[in-house]
């Protein structure tokens, strides 16, 4: 039962983060420019290297395999890029500063949700790893 409550709270947190990103794009105050929505691509790409590395690493050895370290490096690149994109767009006057702040707030919430998913539901020990 605790797994269901955790999954529901993670879904709620993820929807709040996505709401911030959509508000940064859709509000008339921010001129309805949809450039900040490109961070959603980073949300999708972020967990993929870690999931691939977990499939291909040997769990009997240490946790610091070169494959896992490369996956963490690529994941951090996606995370840094998703925070840098709205800042660069704001500095280039493509989007307004308020839209940048809403996108950054959405980034924090969505990435904490992704981290919570990987922490609470360890992909190696649960039924969620079947797909």
């Amino acid at each position: 039962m605790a797994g269901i409550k955790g999954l529901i709270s993670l879904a709620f947190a993820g929807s709040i983060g996505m709401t911030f990103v959509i508000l940064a794009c859709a509000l008339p105050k921010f001129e309805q420019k949809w450039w900040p929505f490109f961070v959603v691509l980073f949300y999708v790409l972020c967990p993929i290297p870690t999931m691939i590395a977990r499939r291909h690493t040997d769990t009997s050895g240490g946790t610091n395999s070169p494959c896992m370290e490369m996956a963490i490096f690529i994941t951090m690149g996606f995370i840094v890029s998703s925070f840098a994109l709205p800042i660069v767009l704001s500095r280039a006057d493509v989007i307004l500063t308020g839209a940048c702040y809403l996108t950054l707030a959405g980034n924090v919430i969505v990435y904490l949700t992704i981290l919570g998913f990987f922490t609470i539901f360890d992909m190696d020990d649960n039924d969620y790893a079947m797909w």
Side-chain angles (χ1 to χ4, degrees):
M1 193 64 152
I4 298 293
K5 289 180 182 178
L7 191 60
I8 290 172
S9 63
L10 286 174
F12 180 71
S15 65
I16 294 295
M18 284 302 299
T19 301
F20 280 139
V21 173
I22 292 171
L23 284 175
C25 300
L27 285 177
K29 178 181 178 182
F30 301 132
E31 301 170 2
Q32 294 183 345
K33 294 183 179 178
W34 287 85
W35 289 106
F37 201 71
F38 278 110
V39 297
V40 175
L41 179 67
F42 294 120
Y43 299 160
V44 173
L45 294 176
C46 175
I48 292 175
T50 306
M51 291 191 306
I52 291 172
R54 284 186 178 188
R55 288 255 185 213
H56 294 293
T57 56
D58 184 22
T59 57
S60 62
T63 58
N64 292 338
S65 69
C67 182
M68 184 59 86
E69 289 182 6
M70 183 62 149
I72 291 171
F73 179 77
I74 294 170
T75 300
M76 288 298 126
F78 287 140
I79 292 172
V80 168
S81 297
S82 70
F83 280 96
L85 178 67
I87 294 171
V88 169
L89 289 175
S90 176
R91 294 281 297 164
D93 291 329
V94 175
I95 62 173
L96 296 176
T97 308
C100 175
Y101 291 147
L102 278 174
T103 307
L104 292 176
N107 281 347
V108 170
I109 295 170
V110 168
Y111 283 124
L112 286 177
T113 303
I114 293 171
L115 178 67
F117 178 79
F118 277 105
T119 303
I120 294 173
F121 300 106
D122 190 22
M123 298 300 261
D124 292 337
D125 298 331
N126 242 330
D127 293 334
Y128 295 108
M130 295 180 77
W131 50 272

